[in-house]
Amino acid sequence: MDCPCGRPQLTSRFGPAGRFIRGPAFTLIELLIVIAILATLAALLLPALTRAKESAQRVRCASNLRQVGTGFRMYLDDYQRYPYLNDAWVWVNYANNTRAGWWDSKVLPYAANNPGVFLCPANSLVKGDPQTNWWMLDPAGKEMPSWSYGYNAAGTRWNASCLQNGGPGEFLFFGLGGWCRMVDPTAWQGLAESAVRVPADMVAIIDYDLTATDRFEETYWTPRYYPLPLYEAALGGKAGRHARGLNALCCDSHVEYAKTNVWTSESQKLRWNHNHQPQR
């Protein structure tokens, strides 16, 4: 439409130029519907994102364990024996307990001296920090092994008769912990590689939420230090960070994943012992 002066009048899509015509606003019901739709979408997407994150952490954990397994294999090639849980065997001389004595410190040089491979990214206790994961103090102020993975030193149980007799070749541990000779309590030998009957079927290292207090037991030694069998700890519900499951490195250096209740089932007990017997 032209103005009286003969010039065309400029208009916008909303009305005459320079004027804003307010359109209809959202009603409260419409706003609530939009919010409900967004909440529904979030409820659908967040579990999927959480599962994707958990799956990625499990894959990274398995990758780290494979690198540990490579180092473990190189250690065995050099020594033909599995490392002790701790060199000092702290019930013999607890004052000798140092970080360098633990099993993971023995494998570390064979893993490019990278403590990060001993970190499970799903371990919420250390918040992804390799140094926090590597250093831990027990209640007595002594240095402990890494927080993420446990070493299967004990198996499903240990051999009490060895404490009484202690003859050569008598195994205190049914895991990888070695044998004792009680007439000379410093004479420990790591378990020979050949003593593991089925390496592909035996757990060597597994996801484990280490705490200082689960390292003490009220029997036999002062300060009554004893590594709780990982099997019993997992059975008690202390493990299962990957969707209620665990990654495990076996003695032949391959990695497996299974639910915690599978690892700790009666049928799996033999997988924790070097003689491939359930030791009930």
Side-chain angles (χ1 to χ4, degrees), residues 11 60 95 99 104 143 185 233 246 249:
T11 60
R60 286 176 56 202
R99 186 65 184 87
D104 49 359
E143 295 164 345
L246 306 168
L249 175 72

Side-chain angles (χ1 to χ4, degrees), residues 162 165-171 179-183 187 189:
C162 182
N165 305 318
E170 286 199 71
F171 292 100
W179 65 273
C180 69
R181 187 179 180 187
M182 295 309 290
V183 293
Q189 285 194 23

Side-chain angles (χ1 to χ4, degrees), residues 51-65:
R51 288 193 296 270
K53 179 181 178 182
E54 290 175 348
S55 178
Q57 289 177 332
R58 178 164 62 87
V59 170
R60 286 176 56 202
C61 171
S63 176
N64 284 350
L65 277 175

Side-chain angles (χ1 to χ4, degrees), residues 68-100:
V68 173
T70 299
F72 212 67
R73 177 67 262 166
M74 295 169 68
Y75 178 95
L76 289 172
D77 288 343
D78 277 355
Y79 295 98
Q80 290 78 52
R81 290 184 179 275
Y82 289 91
Y84 300 127
L85 181 71
N86 184 298
D87 270 356
W89 288 115
V90 294
W91 54 76
V92 176
N93 190 347
Y94 189 62
N96 287 343
N97 182 24
T98 65
R99 186 65 184 87

Side-chain angles (χ1 to χ4, degrees), residues 1-10:
M1 183 174 63
D2 294 337
C3 67
C5 64
R7 288 184 292 182
Q9 182 176 349
L10 297 177

